[in-house]
Amino acid sequence: MDNGGTVGTGGTVDNGGTGGTGGAGGTSGLPVCAGGTPPFGVCFVNDADVLPFPAPFPQIQLNVPSTGTNGPAAATIVDVGTGTAPAQCESARVIGARGASDWWFQAQAAGRLWTIGVRGLGGAPLVRKNDSVTLDLDWSGSTAGRAYGPPAGKLQLSDAAATPLLWSVATYGNVTMGGPGWLMFARGDALLCQTTDTCDIGGYDVAFAVNGEMATLPAFGAANLGGYHVANGALIKGASPPQCYDSYGQAYVAAAAKIQ
């Protein structure tokens, strides 16, 4: 991922962090942002990882190792299953919410065996053993030299005909627009709520477009759109320094899986 502001292959992130001077937003009169958790989770781990990862420092998620396939990589599915993912996947890197996987697969790609578990995006596997697929994974663990934001990255699995099967992203900053091209998401114009965290200014609905179909989802919402099940996290705008330690805000996550 381009930490200066690109997301996936078609989107940008504005890391300017210019909104707000205190972050509390208490005079706006807006309702408090609804609580919740992302309605999905995508975990991933490879055979070179040593678990558990080192514990992060308080407030600063350091030591989550970066990894990836160095762009789209040809892959072969070597195993598929349902339920709890193997290789401690659910205790490793996760985009979205942690929890037991509905289904999982293992793929040989870029010299590594990757284990990927999926929850909340349909209960049946989207691949079969020996399928030829493309895996595009780019994950950057947060480091003090980059930013004091959360880890961020993307994952996309496509079949032999280049049809996307599974996509997920974790990013940070004041997201304005992003997506891999076949799917795009954009921040709503209106500030919809305020948070109780003085380093956050408020939250937004997120508009998605997939295969010519469009829908706007609230925080933690989901919908079937353009042949895919799309799931939304919470898009929170962060305050800028020197009031807060982190101008990049909370992680924003989203995912989509092809409907069978």
Side-chain angles (χ1 to χ4, degrees):
M1 169 169 284
D2 177 359
N3 296 325
T6 61
V7 176
T9 57
T12 61
V13 176
D14 174 11
N15 284 335
T18 57
T21 56
T27 61
S28 67
L30 294 169
V32 174
C33 299
T37 58
F40 73 93
V42 178
C43 69
F44 53 99
V45 65
N46 68 56
D47 56 358
D49 287 323
V50 177
L51 298 175
F53 294 139
F57 289 98
Q59 303 295 330
I60 305 173
Q61 297 184 46
L62 302 178
N63 298 329
V64 179
S66 299
T67 192
T69 57
N70 294 316
T76 300
I77 303 298
V78 298
D79 204 0
V80 179
T82 58
T84 301
Q88 302 182 64
C89 178
E90 294 153 8
S91 299
R93 306 170 187 84
V94 176
I95 299 176
R98 292 187 183 276
S101 299
D102 299 319
W103 60 277
W104 55 268
F105 65 92
Q106 291 182 311
Q108 192 74 39
R112 296 294 177 196
L113 178 66
W114 302 88
T115 300
I116 298 172
V118 183
R119 63 187 301 267
L121 296 170
L126 295 175
V127 291
R128 295 176 298 180
K129 188 174 181 178
N130 297 323
D131 279 356
S132 295
V133 296
T134 298
L135 180 63
D136 186 3
L137 195 158
D138 182 8
W139 183 257
S140 179
S142 183
T143 63
R146 174 172 69 85
Y148 294 107
K154 64 174 182 178
L155 182 153
Q156 180 166 304
L157 177 74
S158 303
D159 67 14
T163 301
L165 301 175
L166 173 68
W167 168 84
S168 60
V169 68
T171 187
Y172 55 89
N174 295 321
V175 176
T176 56
M177 185 174 177
W182 60 270
L183 175 152
M184 295 299 292
F185 59 88
R187 184 182 70 194
D189 292 334
L191 185 66
L192 302 176
C193 59
Q194 61 185 10
T195 73
T196 56
D197 187 331
T198 57
C199 284
D200 296 330
I201 298 172
Y204 297 85
D205 282 343
V206 179
F208 288 86
V210 185
N211 291 334
E213 294 187 21
M214 300 180 65
T216 298
L217 299 181
F220 314 119
N224 292 339
L225 189 64
Y228 290 80
H229 183 72
V230 179
N232 189 36
L235 179 52
I236 302 296
K237 185 177 182 179
S240 56
Q243 292 83 6
C244 298
Y245 62 87
D246 181 2
S247 64
Y248 294 94
Q250 300 179 22
Y252 170 68
V253 298
K258 196 174 189 304
I259 298 173
Q260 292 181 316

